[in-house]
Amino acid sequence: MRKTLIVAALAGLSLTAVTAQAGMFDAVTSLTGGAGNSSSSSGADLIGQQKQLVESYTGANKQVLMAQSQMATALGAKDAAALAKAEAEALTSGATKDSLSKADSAQSAVSKAISEQQKNTGTVLDAEAKKAYAEGLGSLAKGVLKYSKMANQFSGFKDALASASPLDLPKLSSGAYIVTSLPGNSKNLYEALKQAVSFAQSHDIPVPKDATQAL
């Protein structure tokens, strides 16, 4: 065990240190400060960076939401499963700030529902449900890892955004939203993954390799 810095401060705050195994957040520990000393970027450059960042964020969100849908189904949380699936299918590569925010809200709500089911002592999974849960857990880990792999894109856009022209800011709302939301989402998903792995281990559910590597 060693201290790993989690990305709670990527939006300009100081990083939060937590105790965890070396894993998915190693890729973002270099993002330790504010905007840095990057030079001013043109509006066109920023639009291009935003497009790539939104595509990456959307891909990670879709992966997580579909994983959550599978896990919620296995746990018997049908409404939460349906919500996660619907939001995942609604996300597109050109997602707007509003659609990203809606997906994040759904992700948070479904995560809460999954957590409640996992804490419910009456939750019993049959062999089929255990298999589905394990598959969802592996998919969740892959989604979480996608967030960590966004570190360079995130840092580059965040630095460039700090020196952007005020005239360009209205066109950069999606990217600006990600700058504020990614740190918290990453931390919350990391905690959700730890809880899910713990649940699997205590219920005789195989823990996928991707999940153990991410912790």
Side-chain angles (χ1 to χ4, degrees):
M1 301 289 289
R2 66 182 180 81
K3 281 192 175 182
T4 302
L5 294 179
I6 293 184
V7 289
L10 296 182
L13 302 175
S14 59
L15 284 167
T16 300
V18 298
T19 301
Q21 287 182 310
M24 68 175 184
F25 290 108
D26 286 348
V28 294
T29 56
S30 62
L31 305 180
T32 57
N37 297 314
S38 62
S39 59
S40 178
S41 298
S42 69
D45 289 341
L46 273 170
I47 293 297
Q49 288 182 53
Q50 175 178 247
K51 181 180 179 180
Q52 294 178 352
L53 185 64
V54 170
E55 288 178 350
S56 296
Y57 192 72
T58 298
N61 270 8
K62 288 177 73 74
Q63 176 89 41
V64 169
L65 284 165
M66 289 306 297
Q68 287 182 321
S69 178
Q70 194 167 13
M71 293 169 68
T73 297
L75 292 167
K78 295 182 179 180
D79 289 344
L83 173 62
K85 183 178 180 180
E87 287 302 326
E89 292 175 345
L91 278 177
T92 63
S93 59
T96 64
K97 173 186 175 181
D98 289 342
S99 60
L100 290 174
S101 177
K102 185 180 178 183
D104 282 341
S105 294
Q107 186 184 115
S108 178
V110 175
S111 181
K112 182 179 180 180
I114 289 174
S115 179
E116 290 175 349
Q117 286 296 100
Q118 289 173 165
K119 293 176 181 178
N120 186 348
T121 56
T123 299
V124 178
L125 278 65
D126 58 21
E128 184 177 353
K130 287 182 178 181
K131 180 181 178 181
Y133 185 92
E135 291 175 351
L137 178 56
S139 184
L140 178 66
K142 291 178 180 178
V144 174
L145 286 169
K146 285 184 178 181
Y147 276 94
S148 70
K149 291 178 180 178
M150 292 172 58
N152 289 337
Q153 281 183 319
F154 179 97
S155 181
F157 181 81
K158 175 172 171 279
D159 286 352
L161 185 65
S163 58
S165 166
L167 296 177
D168 293 325
L169 294 181
K171 298 178 290 186
L172 302 170
S173 60
S174 295
Y177 170 78
I178 294 174
V179 165
T180 61
S181 64
L182 179 58
N185 281 356
S186 297
K187 182 178 180 180
N188 291 340
L189 281 172
Y190 178 67
E191 293 300 323
L193 181 62
K194 286 202 300 182
Q195 289 181 16
V197 168
S198 178
F199 176 85
Q201 292 172 335
S202 63
H203 287 75
D204 194 29
I205 300 173
V207 177
K209 184 177 180 181
D210 287 322
T212 55
Q213 286 181 336
L215 296 177

